[in-house]
Amino acid sequence: MDDPRTTTKSAIEQAVFRAVEAMSANIGEPLTIDDMARTAMYSKFHFSREFQRVTGVSPRRFLSALRLQEAKRLLVETAMTVTEISHRVGYTSVGTFSSRFASSVGVSPTAYRQLGGFATEIRTENQPVAREGRSSTLYGEVRAPLGGDLGLIFLGLFPGRIPQGRPVGCAIQTRPGPFMFENVPPGSWYLLGHSVPRGMGEQMVPDQQVWVASVGPIEVRPDVPVLPIDFRFRAKRTLDPPVLLALLDVRPEAIWRSEMASRAV
């Protein structure tokens, strides 16, 4: 006999999945919470609560992230203007779109296109110098999924569950193994990671396998040690929020330079 709790969980996840599919299919439409809830066949309040629980973010934030993810694809794969793309993904103001894109992806729409879907650097938040004893060190082990083909591994500390904007700290590893973030300021942080198979050219494109990992919230408090983090990667799923932060240029020649630098340390 099926466990009722498992059946209920499955039904809720299927409802959220329907809502995410509807968002993707109507990316440029002015969708409301009521529209999404009807697709999921739940009341608006129950839908919002369960959506947040299943995905880690609100329906509105998830939809906004999907729109920017689609904009990233259109910038790289089409010759549409930035204005056309902004309208295609549901923005009525190109200025608002450009500002939201730059703050989330790390570069402007025009620069993202010119760089071929990459970034030349990842800028971190400017944190005040912590007084002695006011910062912490986060450390642990990056673990690959069984049979997973991880390329360069991107790790970042963010204030929310979506990899966007400026992280508090970031790191790139060429392979699974130990990691460490020093001088982490007090706060509640999410450690988010993603990796694209090396054989795929390291660029995130539609229908490509992406590996992700997430731990949090991690509460960092002065003088309170943080336990080691077991950071396990798995295949990205439809219900995972999109990765918005632009990847560094890690095509073969860039990978080679990164590996040479790591060997020299």
Side-chain angles (χ1 to χ4, degrees):
M1 184 176 179
D2 291 337
D3 186 334
R5 293 170 298 181
T6 303
T7 303
T8 300
K9 179 180 178 181
S10 176
I12 291 172
E13 289 187 351
Q14 288 176 12
V16 173
F17 182 86
R18 288 196 302 271
V20 172
E21 291 285 282
M23 291 179 192
S24 298
N26 302 278
I27 202 75
E29 300 300 319
L31 294 175
T32 66
I33 297 295
D34 287 316
D35 296 330
M36 301 177 204
R38 277 193 294 271
T39 300
M41 295 185 288
Y42 279 95
S43 71
K44 177 172 65 175
F45 301 106
H46 185 54
F47 165 73
S48 296
R49 182 174 62 250
E50 293 301 329
F51 192 101
Q52 174 101 27
R53 184 185 63 78
V54 171
T55 67
V57 299
S58 70
R60 291 187 185 280
R61 291 192 65 198
F62 202 103
L63 175 59
S64 177
L66 285 178
R67 285 173 167 164
L68 292 178
Q69 177 181 251
E70 175 64 3
K72 289 169 64 179
R73 183 189 71 82
L74 293 173
L75 285 165
V76 173
E77 296 186 1
T78 76
M80 296 172 64
T81 67
V82 172
T83 299
E84 290 170 337
I85 290 173
S86 70
H87 294 158
R88 174 71 69 89
V89 299
Y91 284 82
T92 56
S93 165
V94 66
T96 299
F97 164 73
S98 296
S99 175
R100 185 73 56 79
F101 188 99
S103 64
S104 298
V105 180
V107 294
S108 70
T110 300
Y112 187 79
R113 168 171 278 167
Q114 292 173 341
L115 293 168
F118 293 106
T120 56
E121 63 177 337
I122 295 179
R123 297 179 180 178
T124 57
E125 282 288 354
N126 295 322
Q127 296 291 335
V129 177
R131 299 194 303 273
E132 184 177 354
R134 297 287 296 178
S135 64
S136 299
T137 297
L138 300 184
Y139 66 98
E141 187 90 7
V142 171
R143 301 185 187 278
L146 184 63
D149 173 26
L150 297 184
L152 285 193
I153 300 164
F154 294 79
L155 308 176
L157 278 173
F158 295 87
R161 292 181 181 271
I162 299 178
Q164 65 178 358
R166 294 189 177 189
V168 173
C170 64
I172 299 174
Q173 297 188 186
T174 58
R175 59 184 63 84
F179 72 86
M180 180 179 294
F181 285 92
E182 297 181 306
N183 300 318
V184 178
S188 182
W189 311 111
Y190 290 86
L191 177 61
L192 306 177
H194 59 278
S195 177
V196 179
R198 192 182 301 268
M200 299 297 293
E202 304 285 345
Q203 188 176 13
M204 293 179 66
V205 296
D207 302 322
Q208 181 187 73
Q209 178 67 74
V210 176
W211 307 100
V212 297
S214 174
V215 172
I218 303 168
E219 301 297 334
V220 176
R221 297 289 179 261
D223 304 318
V224 178
V226 180
L227 296 175
I229 299 170
D230 188 32
F231 203 51
R232 294 180 179 272
F233 276 74
R234 58 169 175 77
K236 187 179 184 302
R237 301 175 299 216
T238 300
L239 299 183
D240 290 319
V243 176
L244 295 184
L245 191 64
L247 294 180
L248 288 175
D249 188 346
V250 288
R251 287 167 287 191
E253 62 273 17
I255 296 171
W256 179 84
R257 289 196 298 270
S258 175
E259 290 179 340
M260 292 300 102
S262 64
R263 292 173 186 172
V265 175

